[in-house]
Amino acid sequence: MLTKFKNNISIIFLTISLIVFSYVIFRAEFIHEGQKLIFYTKYYIISIILIFFSVLSFFINKKIKYKIAILFSFFFILLYSIEIILLGNLALIEFKRNIHLENYAKKKNYNVDEDQPFKKNKFNAYRVLKEKYKNLALAIDPYHFLKVPKQTIMPLSSLSNVKTLQCNQLGYSNIYQTDRFGFNNQDMNWDKNFIDFFILGSRYAQGDCVHQSKNIAGNINSLTGLTAINVGYGGSGPLMNYAILREYLPISKTKRVVWLYSESSDLSGVKNIEGLTEELKNDILNNYLLDLDFSQNLIMRQNEIDEIVYSKMNKMTLSVDMALKQNKLFKFLKFSRIRNEILKIYNSINEKNLATLQILSPEFKDILIKSKEFAEVNNARFYFVYLTENHRYKNEKFNKKKHDYENLINFIERYNINLINIHKELFENHDNPLSLFAPNIKKNETTHYNEEGYTLVSETILKKINDFEKLN
């Protein structure tokens, strides 16, 4: 047996290398239809190198070849041992997370669906909850369409008039009914003759991870009896917000535009495909800056948006389903957990090396000035709300320079934009700011406000707006 192994080492190496190369082709060209070529380039290179050395091994002395094979065997035994440890640790973390979320929701007495699966992953929850809600959809953020080639429409919202599952950071998966334009509102609000608050922003405006009635627009509606419209979506940066303002503000008479700015993500984005840097690469979005009369007429094209978003949602769920159906042994053989941990370390090092995460660019200044002017042309007051996130309060050595905090605040004040600084007005004076955020299970996890946090932020916004308007 050992002799056969020694005699066939090169054939075994070559066979394994060809299998790896074939699998890379299958994933890159068939599963992802060539759209992730940059991602798979490194795997193409690695597999080609493996093939090259496998062929080369036919010309190497058998004893040397055998020693190399033994060395590789010990190396792979070590790697698979590490993979087993990481898998066990992941299972333990997920178990603790789900128990923690369930207990947190009960402690806070949150309104939880009786069929709620206490799992944070929205795709897992989707599989369970769609049995109860037959037409349930997933919240698909518009930033997913930033890099679509040859696009004729850039969606700024999501699916309309459908029950939508969003996220779970509080022990329940919030499900809301979208309005006629695909935003997180009661549809009847668009029929009002007058809108008191038109709320722009990313995930905090959208109301990530809380019930519709508990987000900022919902709180304003219930606290004042006035009409608040929420046109926020996770991942929407400054240029998308400006485009949303241009497309949807003129529909109704509006008294106030409230721009909710997220400290750590609105300029660069929390993912590579989000934020102003990526938005500026999109031709359609750039048209809003170059032409003050440009419009996609999105209010008349919701059927097109629905079709595009449904297609994206189906592709995403299919991709996740395929990953789940993938043999666990096969995922183990691919060192899935080790590769994931290496990627985390790489991203963490990159972030630490950055002098700044957010940069107050000329484009951002231009967008904000144009947004204020557009609001005022439409007879609406413009308010800029600076929202901070949990990282600021977890770390005593928090570096404000990474978010260009001082420059941004100075710019807002210099251009006489009504500023509501939630850090100064609320969190800085609160005994325990982190108690207003969702529970943080992972060390460096970004979490959103909990229901109490959204309520206090909403009350602070209302108080400051009232103060501004008393002066004027």
Side-chain angles (χ1 to χ4, degrees), residues 115-117 119 123-132:
D115 297 318
Q116 166 66 44
K119 293 177 182 284
F123 289 98
N124 291 337
Y126 178 68
R127 284 179 193 83
V128 176
L129 292 171
K130 72 177 180 180
E131 297 299 320
K132 179 176 181 179

Side-chain angles (χ1 to χ4, degrees), residues 144-156:
H144 286 291
F145 305 101
L146 280 173
K147 293 188 176 182
V148 175
K150 298 178 181 179
Q151 64 185 161
T152 58
I153 181 173
M154 173 62 209
L156 299 173

Side-chain angles (χ1 to χ4, degrees), residues 18-28 40 326 330 334:
L18 290 171
I19 290 171
V20 171
F21 184 64
S22 300
Y23 179 71
V24 172
I25 293 175
F26 172 72
R27 295 288 300 179
Y40 280 101
Q326 211 177 62
F330 189 52
K334 294 193 305 177

Side-chain angles (χ1 to χ4, degrees), residues 86 337-353:
L86 290 175
R337 294 313 309 163
I338 290 176
R339 289 189 291 119
N340 186 266
E341 291 302 317
I342 291 172
L343 183 63
K344 283 183 187 176
I345 293 169
Y346 174 78
N347 289 337
S348 176
I349 292 171
N350 273 356
E351 184 173 313
K352 286 178 181 177
N353 289 337

Side-chain angles (χ1 to χ4, degrees), residues 346-395:
Y346 174 78
N347 289 337
S348 176
I349 292 171
N350 273 356
E351 184 173 313
K352 286 178 181 177
N353 289 337
L354 287 175
T356 58
L357 290 177
Q358 311 289 321
I359 298 174
L360 186 60
S361 64
E363 292 86 359
F364 176 77
K365 294 178 181 179
D366 185 35
I367 289 167
L368 208 57
I369 291 169
K370 281 184 166 68
S371 298
K372 179 177 182 287
E373 290 173 349
F374 186 80
E376 291 172 347
V377 164
N378 283 272
N379 300 311
R381 293 174 180 262
F382 186 81
Y383 295 91
F384 184 88
V385 182
Y386 191 99
L387 299 176
T388 49
E389 298 176 345
N390 62 328
H391 296 299
R392 177 183 277 265
Y393 308 107
K394 285 169 60 180
N395 187 355

